[in-house]
Amino acid sequence: MTTQGIVSVDSEYISLDIDEDGIYESYRSIRFDAAIYSGNSGGGLFNTQGGLIGITNAVITTSENICYAIPLSIVSGVADNIIYYANDGDDTTQGVYAVQSGLTLEERNAKYSLDSSGYGAIIEDVYITAVESGSLAEDLGPAAGDRPVAVTINGTRHELTRSFELDELLLTARAGDEIVFTYERDGQTAETQSCTLSAEEHLEAA
């Protein structure tokens, strides 16, 4: 059988039984049809230009060539995070440390949007449904019902078009970084004050 390496899902939450124990959980994954086999997990998934786009981690054994990989944006964020904290001079830190925003988000009005090149992506409106008491978000001011539209880290603005993008961005933030949230409330755009992230207050092992 010949496969074409077609990516049918480039980065979405998919319900998978990774451990084959009958328990399905939601994982953000790339789905593709290039064949992989038992033992291939952890190997690279590459595009036609030789660029790494993900790390393979699952295959549906009851179907032919329905395979999955972890998107590169997650892989690189986690790897850089581990390396950073392994070399920060603090022997008590281990693993991944992520900024805890305290926000619970909900996606609405998802749609597929084409760009000028003919390619596109899913975009959605992201809304805050809850803010954890005592969290970074509560200190900065966004509230339930607001729509977060961007996060600025050390002066670089990152637009939010998917809810999972916030978690990816906060994985790259470090203690001492300056962070600002931009959000919409009642049709008006507002920015929070700048906050300097603290390892003791804002970062947590993940």
Side-chain angles (χ1 to χ4, degrees), residues 3 10 23 31 33 42 56-58 60 81 85 129 142 147-148 156 167 174 176-177 180-181 206:
T3 61
D10 66 352
I23 299 175
R31 186 174 68 204
D33 80 344
T56 60
N57 71 324
I60 296 181
N81 190 292
Y85 287 107
T129 57
R147 190 167 80 88
T156 301
D167 289 336
R174 309 286 185 252
D177 287 353
V180 176
F181 288 91

Side-chain angles (χ1 to χ4, degrees), residues 148-166:
V149 295
V151 178
T152 301
I153 301 175
N154 293 335
T156 301
R157 180 183 169 102
H158 306 271
E159 303 293 331
L160 297 177
T161 60
R162 304 296 303 272
S163 60
F164 56 67
E165 292 172 341
L166 178 60

Side-chain angles (χ1 to χ4, degrees), residues 9 14 52 54-55 75 98 100 104-105 107 135 158 165-166 172 177 194:
V9 175
I14 299 175
L52 181 68
I55 299 296
V75 174
Q100 305 301 304
T104 301
L105 303 178
E107 309 87 23
S135 67
H158 306 271
E165 292 172 341
L166 178 60
T172 69
D177 287 353
S194 176

Side-chain angles (χ1 to χ4, degrees), residues 64-96:
E64 290 188 351
N65 301 319
I66 299 180
C67 309
Y68 301 90
I70 303 169
L72 182 60
S73 55
I74 298 174
V75 174
S76 59
V78 169
D80 289 346
N81 190 292
I82 291 173
I83 292 169
Y84 176 85
Y85 287 107
N87 294 287
D88 68 352
D90 183 353
D91 293 338
T92 67
T93 58
Q94 57 183 343
V96 176

